[in-house]
Amino acid sequence: MNKSLSVIVPCYNEEEVIAESYGRIKKMLTKLDHPSDIIFVNDGSVDRTEQLLSQFAKSDKSVKVLSFSRNFGHQKAVTAGLHYCTSDMAVIIDADLQDSPELIPEMILTMEKANAQVVYCVRKTRKGEGFFKKLSAKVFYRILNFFSEVKLPVDAGDFRLLDKSIIREFNKMHEKGKYIRGLISWVGFKQIPFYYEREARFAGETKYPFSKMLKLATTSMLYFSTKPLKLATTIGFFSVIISLGLAFWSILGKIMGFTHADSGWTSLFVLIIFFGGVQLLTIGIVGAYIGNLFDEIKNRPEYIIEKKQNFETGKDEKTKQ
Ligand code: UDP
Ligand code: MG
């Protein structure tokens, strides 16, 4: 018997695209000779997404729906999908059809041929995205790799195929700030790339405004590296060296008479703002880590599910770690 497959789709205000995505995913799954289901995670949408998903679930028992009590964010939605997945394999895919569901059979073949546990999709091109989004993504993946203590594939999003062994390990991770693609790389096993063209969004607008992108970037940075802390120490060290040099220079100048203390206002002013800046920056870096510790220690649930559809009761809770 072929391995079973779950397609996990996080959705936030996707009323314009959700019917088309469901149709295309369903069509692909019907052709595929694997037992399958689709897990839609409605991340607190305020439009008609929930009603539409509910309709699909009523007429198609292979559609499972998890609805959050509010918007918890894309990474939490995918996490919930993985917690509730009981299949042998799972694909994480966006609802907006930027990542074509038609590629999934090819991804499964790639996984089988290479005997891999993860097939991660790398974007060769990104259609329909603005210059700023493309540039920020390019710069982001490279900066992150510089800081990260785990090697993270560049230009790869969350669109990927995972084997059960990876899902099992992922579900054991209890940290609240999740950068999923990083955590999956961290798990290890055999992970191979799959190159594809990223399409333009089918309809509607991006649900990832700059603020959410920044939050994802900071989570990834802070959870995958302590290099920023070391950087703070390095900056502090150099500022001490500079200040010692300047102190030596000004004392020597006073004794030998080559500095004029009364005309030193500008240099004094520049030095005060420079060292003030260095201090605030380093305190900020330390503060960011403390903030995350605070979030982790509170130990609140990562997300709250308001409604479930087509999950067998009793079994649902068991799959959740
Ligand atoms: N999404 C979500 N919660 C959010 C933001 C986005 O579940 O708070 C979903 C969204 O519905 C989509 C996926 O995450 O399926 C990726 O979002 P989007 O396509 O807007 O991001 P972009 O491709 O522009 O980076
Ligand atoms: Mg998108």
Side-chain angles (χ1 to χ4, degrees):
M1 170 107 147
N2 276 330
K3 283 180 166 181
S4 54
L5 171 75
S6 287
V7 180
I8 299 171
V9 195
C11 321
Y12 177 54
N13 293 344
E14 299 285 12
E15 61 179 5
E16 288 166 279
V17 301
I18 204 70
E20 179 74 15
S21 345
Y22 167 58
R24 274 177 58 183
I25 295 171
K26 189 72 200 170
K27 199 167 152 203
M28 177 276 301
L29 289 176
T30 333
K31 281 195 219 151
L32 198 70
D33 200 15
H34 287 262
S36 57
D37 58 20
I38 312 174
I39 305 177
F40 284 106
V41 187
N42 169 32
D43 183 15
S45 303
V46 289
D47 64 355
R48 288 180 54 250
T49 304
E50 185 168 0
Q51 286 99 297
L52 292 169
L53 291 178
S54 193
Q55 279 172 21
F56 307 154
K58 274 187 194 130
S59 61
D60 179 354
K61 291 296 158 213
S62 73
V63 171
K64 300 179 174 179
V65 183
L66 293 171
S67 268
F68 282 179
S69 59
R70 64 168 172 85
N71 179 237
F72 280 89
H74 169 238
Q75 299 287 297
K76 308 283 179 199
V78 175
T79 303
L82 289 169
H83 282 167
Y84 281 84
C85 164
T86 49
S87 302
D88 301 320
M89 297 182 290
V91 170
I92 304 167
I93 191 167
D94 287 355
D96 61 358
L97 296 169
Q98 281 198 280
D99 310 320
S100 307
E102 291 76 21
L103 295 172
I104 295 174
E106 233 181 295
M107 287 159 65
I108 297 176
L109 280 180
T110 312
M111 177 180 260
E112 283 169 354
K113 255 195 240 154
N115 207 2
Q117 277 71 41
V118 176
V119 175
Y120 59 90
C121 299
V122 182
R123 299 153 181 176
K124 275 196 286 189
T125 51
R126 304 163 70 111
K127 291 182 195 156
E129 287 179 325
F131 172 75
F132 178 72
K133 178 108 187 175
K134 283 185 192 166
L135 182 76
S136 56
K138 269 227 148 15
V139 173
F140 164 69
Y141 287 123
R142 276 135 191 106
I143 294 184
L144 180 59
N145 244 334
F146 169 75
F147 278 112
S148 176
E149 275 138 32
V150 187
K151 178 96 187 75
L152 305 169
V154 291
D155 302 328
D158 285 321
F159 181 34
R160 56 188 64 210
L161 173 67
L162 311 174
D163 180 72
K164 204 184 176 92
S165 48
I166 299 282
I167 303 171
R168 200 187 308 124
E169 295 310 319
F170 178 84
N171 286 346
K172 286 182 195 160
M173 299 179 190
H174 297 298
E175 61 212 86
K176 311 290 169 215
K178 282 206 170 70
Y179 180 60
I180 295 170
R181 52 201 97 155
L183 288 172
I184 291 173
S185 295
W186 181 87
V187 170
F189 295 106
K190 188 167 182 191
Q191 312 208 0
I192 52 169
F194 178 91
Y195 295 90
Y196 78 116
E197 316 265 338
R198 191 159 211 236
E199 302 298 327
R201 187 174 241 282
F202 176 71
E205 281 173 7
T206 176
K207 306 298 174 306
Y208 251 99
F210 184 66
S211 56
K212 282 188 180 171
M213 271 162 53
L214 201 63
K215 188 156 185 267
L216 184 69
T218 22
T219 304
S220 58
M221 207 77 98
L222 299 177
Y223 277 80
F224 276 88
S225 176
T226 48
K227 273 193 197 162
L229 281 176
K230 288 168 196 149
L231 190 71
T233 318
T234 315
I235 297 174
F237 176 75
F238 280 112
S239 69
V240 167
I241 300 280
I242 295 171
S243 60
L244 280 178
L246 287 171
F248 182 70
W249 177 76
S250 55
I251 292 169
L252 203 70
K254 186 86 190 156
I255 296 167
M256 305 194 40
F258 62 79
T259 53
H260 303 282
D262 48 351
S263 65
W265 189 88
T266 315
S267 53
L268 211 59
F269 176 72
V270 170
L271 282 178
I272 289 170
I273 52 172
F274 175 74
F275 289 111
V278 167
Q279 280 166 19
L280 288 178
L281 181 75
T282 46
I283 290 172
I285 293 174
V286 176
Y289 281 91
I290 293 178
N292 274 348
L293 278 176
F294 182 54
D295 279 344
E296 294 293 332
I297 278 171
K298 278 185 287 184
N299 208 18
R300 288 185 189 158
E302 278 178 81
Y303 51 82
I304 295 170
I305 292 174
E306 190 176 344
K307 203 171 133 200
K308 285 184 231 168
Q309 263 179 292
N310 289 347
F311 285 92
E312 294 160 44
T313 39
K315 203 174 169 194
D316 299 341
E317 293 311 319
K318 249 196 282 169
T319 53
K320 200 170 174 300
Q321 306 266 328

